[in-house]
Amino acid sequence: MLDDGTRKSHSVAENTEFVSGFFKGIATKDSFAKLVKALYFVYFEMEKAFEETTDANVKALDYKELRRSKALEDDMAYYFGEDWKNVITPSAATEKYIDRIREVAKETPELLIAHQYTRYLGDLFGGQMMGGMATRSLELENGQGVKFYQFDEISSAKDFIEEWYTSLNSLEISPETKQAIVDEGNLVFRLNIDIFSELEGNAFGSFLRVAWASFKEKYLS
């Protein structure tokens, strides 16, 4: 349901913008720190909404293994120091994103499913690859600064995603609500692109660094 709806509405330009945005994010350590900071605010607000909602469908899809706030807190300490809570503030695009989460949680909580789907499944599906690219591009210490991408309680991403989809498809949701969730998922996709757009960095340069690091690891080590 959601996958078909979001894929059909995402243009090639939007998908390219999303991918190039991630490469901008790993262009420099400072840029990646800003990206992780934005994700911290987003996930804090998302997971607060999941805890507080009484919507049964959202609760059914709220697997604790997916929670990212604790991992992001570790990453915050790595990039901003132990006093990170007193030195970070959300960017304009991040504020817009978390305002939307608050609005949905208050007025149409069933649409939180779109936020679960768009962020969690994307992170789980591509997390290992993205975390690895960030580690190589920025020459991070092994496992440091990329805890967000590590799902230690999930042994098989493929099996977990299939289980999550089974739970999703078993929910009793009206056609109108399904379409509203798809529409919300597309909005969330754009909100993520807006966060990437704020980052400074050379996407192509990041891509080359990742490619070179992979080549050295495979052929020269």
Side-chain angles (χ1 to χ4, degrees):
M1 175 193 72
L2 285 174
D3 200 34
D4 288 343
T6 52
R7 277 188 299 180
K8 287 176 182 176
S9 68
H10 293 165
S11 67
V12 172
E14 284 180 317
N15 283 311
T16 301
E17 193 175 357
F18 188 90
V19 173
S20 65
F22 175 76
F23 278 108
K24 277 178 63 180
I26 61 173
T28 66
K29 194 171 182 179
D30 180 64
S31 185
F32 190 65
K34 290 177 180 177
L35 173 59
V36 176
K37 178 182 68 171
L39 292 174
Y40 166 76
F41 283 110
V42 167
Y43 276 88
F44 177 84
E45 205 62 45
M46 273 177 47
E47 292 174 357
K48 178 172 176 283
F50 300 156
E51 286 288 345
E52 295 177 352
T53 189
T54 58
D55 187 280
N57 288 333
V58 174
K59 290 291 191 185
L61 298 174
D62 182 25
Y63 287 71
K64 303 306 180 185
E65 301 96 313
L66 291 170
R67 294 294 183 93
R68 297 288 84 203
S69 289
K70 177 59 176 68
L72 283 163
E73 288 177 1
D74 291 342
D75 289 339
M76 288 295 94
Y78 176 79
Y79 290 111
F80 298 99
E82 293 302 320
D83 194 38
W84 60 270
K85 286 187 178 180
N86 294 318
V87 299
I88 65 169
T89 55
S91 67
T94 307
E95 283 279 15
K96 182 180 177 182
Y97 197 152
I98 61 180
D99 282 347
R100 179 57 185 173
I101 295 170
R102 290 168 182 158
E103 180 183 1
V104 166
K106 181 179 179 180
E107 298 179 4
T108 49
E110 65 274 13
L111 299 188
L112 288 171
I113 292 173
H115 292 260
Q116 292 172 312
Y117 166 85
T118 306
R119 281 277 15 148
Y120 281 141
L121 294 200
D123 298 330
L124 181 56
F125 183 77
Q128 186 174 10
M129 177 186 67
M130 290 180 173
M133 287 193 295
T135 298
R136 289 192 292 273
S137 176
L138 303 175
E139 299 181 343
L140 300 173
E141 296 92 336
N142 188 35
Q144 295 297 307
V146 289
K147 294 287 181 64
F148 168 73
Y149 293 109
Q150 299 167 8
F151 290 81
D152 295 333
E153 296 181 44
I154 298 175
S155 57
S156 169
K158 180 178 179 294
D159 291 345
F160 189 93
I161 289 172
E162 288 179 358
E163 179 185 345
W164 197 91
Y165 270 124
T166 298
S167 297
L168 173 64
N169 291 330
S170 70
L171 300 178
E172 294 185 6
I173 302 176
S174 70
E176 294 78 16
T177 299
K178 286 182 181 180
Q179 185 57 53
I181 292 171
V182 169
D183 292 342
E184 183 70 15
N186 292 322
L187 173 60
V188 173
F189 191 78
R190 283 303 320 175
L191 290 171
N192 279 278
I193 289 177
D194 289 345
I195 285 177
F196 284 136
S197 297
E198 289 184 326
L199 303 176
E200 297 177 0
N202 186 306
F204 184 65
S206 298
F207 175 78
L208 289 179
R209 280 202 303 277
V210 170
W212 173 240
S214 298
F215 177 82
K216 288 195 297 182
E217 183 178 307
K218 187 171 183 180
Y219 296 106
L220 302 180
S221 60

